[in-house]
Amino acid sequence: MTQEEKVAQMYVIGTSSRTDYSKLNQYTFGGHLYLLDSFKNTSGGIQKVNNIQNQIATSQSESKIPLIMSIDEEGETVSRLNSTLYTELNNLGIMNEKFKNSCDLFASGGLEAIRNDTIYKSGVLKYLGFNLDFAPDIDIADSTAYIYKRTLKQNAQTTGQFAKTVIETGKSTGVSYTLKHFPGYGNSIDTHNGFGTDNRPLSDFENKDLIPFQAGIESGAEVVMVSHNIVTCFDANTPASISKPVHDYLRNNMGYTGIIITDAINMGAIASKYSTKDSVIKAIQSGNDMICLSMDEGQTDTTGGAKLTYAGIIKYITDAVANGQISQETVDTAVTRILAWKYYTGLMN
């Protein structure tokens, strides 16, 4: 692989109704992320199911290396399909009911309902061409917290069983699942809009928030997503997603060997302080294997006003390796993990 091909593997590009896939598909990016707007057309209407399927299939066929096709499909509160393709998928007999929040599933049928939902959800996602779901949310929070409605609304031990159930069930479906948001979102504010700071001691995390992550890791979790919260017991100044102590703890203390991925690196919490270039470099320096970046060709960077291009974001990293900010070993290790994961999941022969 060329250096540019290696570096491109480290990105998952979030798309939109404005995305020019003919340009996007010219690069060997690690994957694509379909956001809510990705299912709309340029006039604001909802695309047809076969359009999405063909779009994904074309991207896969044009890619030198098979793509991770990802989506945020947690349940009712965070769902891309409930409000877009559900009606057509229902008419096709593929999606017989809308996705529900994990807390409602658990309340109605316990872990068996979670297991059945994972199988059902995977079937819908595979039908469309997706192979990675950025779920489950295994955070633990108080009832007044921003994240609470997306959680299981149970204690650490039960949430750990939830994580174990989704990860183990997902492995039999051909869709990978993601533990998020490490090291635990807690009661922090919505990081789409600004920084959240969690001042709890490490003991609180070890006795509660980290328990579900450990259960998921021991069950063979392939992907862990790191939050943008500042968690002061790990790092008093830097968001977790770009903090080396946070990533070191995940690797060294929890024994995690899979893919670490950022939440969207240009969300408000990060973009309010860092340019895309700086946040990407910091994300890799801290220990991420992959970076979620929602962008279209020629989009203006929120911080600094630079134009974002697909070639340009690859150059951010190749230049950082050339000038010694990032080591070649760091890139090669991350890309080896990514390719090994794609091989393990059956995407690569």
Side-chain angles (χ1 to χ4, degrees):
M1 297 173 68
T2 66
Q3 183 77 322
E4 288 73 20
E5 288 171 337
K6 291 180 183 180
V7 164
Q9 281 295 297
M10 300 174 74
Y11 282 104
V12 173
I13 302 297
T15 64
S16 75
S17 60
R18 301 169 300 281
T19 297
D20 184 340
Y21 288 90
S22 64
K23 288 186 177 179
L24 177 61
N25 293 341
Q26 292 174 19
Y27 301 88
T28 57
F29 288 119
H32 300 170
L33 168 61
Y34 274 61
L35 302 163
L36 189 62
D37 191 53
S38 307
F39 294 94
K40 298 178 182 179
N41 53 41
T42 51
S43 61
I46 304 301
Q47 293 197 62
K48 295 292 186 181
V49 165
N50 66 340
N51 287 346
I52 296 296
Q53 289 176 312
N54 291 339
Q55 201 173 73
I56 290 175
T58 299
S59 293
Q60 287 287 23
S61 66
E62 292 181 356
S63 181
K64 179 179 178 180
I65 299 170
L67 290 155
I68 295 298
M69 286 294 181
S70 60
I71 187 172
D72 286 290
E73 198 58 66
E74 296 177 17
E76 182 181 352
T77 301
V78 176
S79 173
R80 308 310 184 203
L81 299 180
N82 279 1
S83 60
T84 56
L85 302 186
Y86 169 72
T87 299
E88 189 180 356
L89 287 170
N90 181 259
N91 291 336
L92 290 168
I94 302 300
M95 193 172 174
N96 54 30
E97 60 180 350
K98 289 188 174 182
F99 295 130
K100 297 182 176 71
N101 285 334
S102 59
C103 56
D104 296 324
L105 288 165
F106 185 80
S108 67
L111 292 175
E112 185 63 22
I114 297 294
R115 184 177 294 107
N116 291 337
D117 177 72
T118 304
I119 295 169
Y120 166 56
K121 187 180 291 181
S122 294
V124 175
L125 297 184
K126 281 187 69 177
Y127 178 79
L128 293 169
F130 294 103
N131 48 43
L132 173 64
D133 188 5
F134 286 131
D137 188 314
I138 58 170
D139 296 307
I140 299 171
D142 294 339
S143 60
T144 56
Y146 154 73
I147 203 76
Y148 183 69
K149 59 189 175 183
R150 294 166 56 184
T151 72
L152 193 67
K153 299 183 179 179
Q154 300 295 320
N155 63 27
Q157 286 69 30
T158 303
T159 304
Q161 288 300 307
F162 166 51
K164 174 182 169 69
T165 299
V166 174
I167 295 302
E168 291 183 348
T169 304
K171 286 181 179 295
S172 66
T173 68
V175 174
S176 295
Y177 286 81
T178 308
L179 303 178
K180 67 181 190 184
H181 304 81
F182 189 83
Y185 207 96
N187 298 329
S188 296
I189 65 170
D190 181 1
T191 51
H192 288 86
N193 304 316
F195 284 112
T197 301
D198 193 327
N199 291 311
R200 290 179 295 155
L202 180 60
S203 59
D204 275 20
F205 285 88
E206 292 179 332
N207 294 327
K208 185 170 66 174
D209 302 67
L210 295 176
I211 290 173
F213 285 97
Q214 193 68 65
I217 289 168
E218 291 174 1
S219 300
E222 297 152 37
V223 188
V224 171
M225 177 178 283
V226 185
S227 83
H228 292 318
N229 294 321
I230 295 175
V231 184
T232 56
C233 64
F234 291 98
D235 190 327
N237 302 306
T238 310
S241 55
I242 55 175
S243 166
K244 192 171 189 306
V246 170
H247 292 74
D248 286 348
Y249 190 96
L250 178 56
R251 292 285 187 211
N252 302 331
N253 293 65
M254 302 190 72
Y256 180 62
T257 59
I259 301 293
I260 303 178
I261 192 166
T262 68
D263 208 340
I265 204 69
N266 50 347
M267 281 169 57
I270 300 296
S272 63
K273 183 175 181 181
Y274 303 95
S275 68
T276 299
K277 179 180 180 180
D278 287 344
S279 62
V280 163
I281 292 171
K282 289 178 183 296
I284 295 171
Q285 290 173 329
S286 66
N288 289 287
D289 301 297
M290 302 190 84
I291 298 163
C292 278
L293 175 59
S294 300
M295 62 163 285
D296 290 311
E297 183 82 355
Q299 177 180 320
T300 301
D301 197 354
T302 306
T303 304
K307 293 291 185 182
L308 297 178
T309 65
Y310 299 133
I313 64 171
I314 292 170
K315 194 171 186 296
Y316 290 163
I317 302 176
T318 56
D319 284 354
V321 174
N323 65 30
Q325 288 179 282
I326 296 171
S327 72
Q328 185 64 51
E329 182 183 8
T330 296
V331 170
D332 290 346
T333 299
V335 176
T336 299
R337 283 198 189 103
I338 295 163
L339 297 179
W341 173 35
K342 290 182 176 183
Y343 179 83
Y344 168 76
T345 59
L347 284 175
M348 295 176 67
N349 293 324

